[in-house]
């Protein structure tokens, strides 16, 4: 198994490197000069593209800033809503707005806690149990 690998390495070392484009005798001819009107048109198009690129960059910055602002406002609003809900639950006479059924109602056979339509704990008004 070693002999074919050795022969292959010797064969690769013995060959000369082929140069790309060896079939061309002389360099390719330069592109034709199409005149000053084409050069002026090309330069105006390049200026137009650079202006569009600058405008696009400004829009990217504006939309990125707007997106970050929206995410920040969402996080702040969520935190304020949760804090307000906790404060509201703590100050109500009737107890929590979401019943804490894990401590008062035993679980069913499958482990689920059912609280809809059942009588609630004693700190909740009877009309709110259903």
């Amino acid at each position: 198994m070693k002999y074919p690998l050795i022969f292959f390495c010797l064969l690769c070392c013995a060959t000369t490197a082929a140069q790309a484009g060896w079939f061309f005798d002389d360099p390719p001819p330069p592109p034709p000069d199409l005149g000053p009107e084409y050069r002026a048109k090309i330069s105006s198009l390049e200026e137009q593209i650079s202006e569009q690129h600058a405008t696009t960059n400004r829009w990217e910055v504006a939309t990125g800033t707007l997106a970050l602002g929206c995410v920040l406002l969402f996080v702040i609003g969520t935190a304020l809503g949760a804090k307000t809900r906790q404060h509201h639950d703590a100050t109500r006479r009737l107890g929590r707005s979401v019943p804490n059924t894990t401590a008062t109602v035993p679980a069913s056979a499958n482990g689920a806690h059912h609280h809809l339509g059942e009588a609630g704990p004693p700190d909740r008004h009877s009309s709110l149990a259903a």
Side-chain angles (χ1 to χ4, degrees):
M1 193 65 172
K2 292 182 182 180
Y3 295 115
L5 183 62
I6 292 172
F7 287 129
F8 180 71
C9 290
L10 289 175
L11 181 65
C12 288
C13 291
T15 58
T16 60
Q19 297 205 2
W22 57 270
F23 42 86
F24 289 123
D25 291 337
D26 55 347
D33 187 22
L34 299 175
E37 64 273 358
Y38 286 108
R39 281 183 286 220
K41 187 173 183 179
I42 288 173
S43 64
S44 69
L45 288 174
E46 286 175 348
E47 289 173 8
Q48 206 175 28
I49 287 175
S50 65
E51 289 172 7
Q52 288 175 354
H53 187 64
T55 304
T56 302
N57 283 343
R58 279 185 248 136
W59 276 108
E60 287 174 352
V61 169
T63 54
T65 305
L66 181 64
L68 287 175
C70 289
V71 168
L72 182 66
L73 287 175
F74 178 75
V75 168
I76 291 172
T78 304
L80 284 175
K83 196 64 167 171
T84 303
R85 178 62 147 205
Q86 288 176 356
H87 177 71
H88 180 70
D89 284 347
T91 58
R92 283 186 62 193
R93 285 187 308 150
L94 298 177
R96 296 171 44 96
S97 59
V98 177
N100 186 5
T101 60
T102 58
T104 57
V105 179
S108 358
N110 63 358
H113 293 278
H114 300 286
H115 57 72
L116 294 177
E118 297 176 0
D123 63 342
R124 201 167 336 130
H125 194 269
S126 61
S127 65
L128 295 176

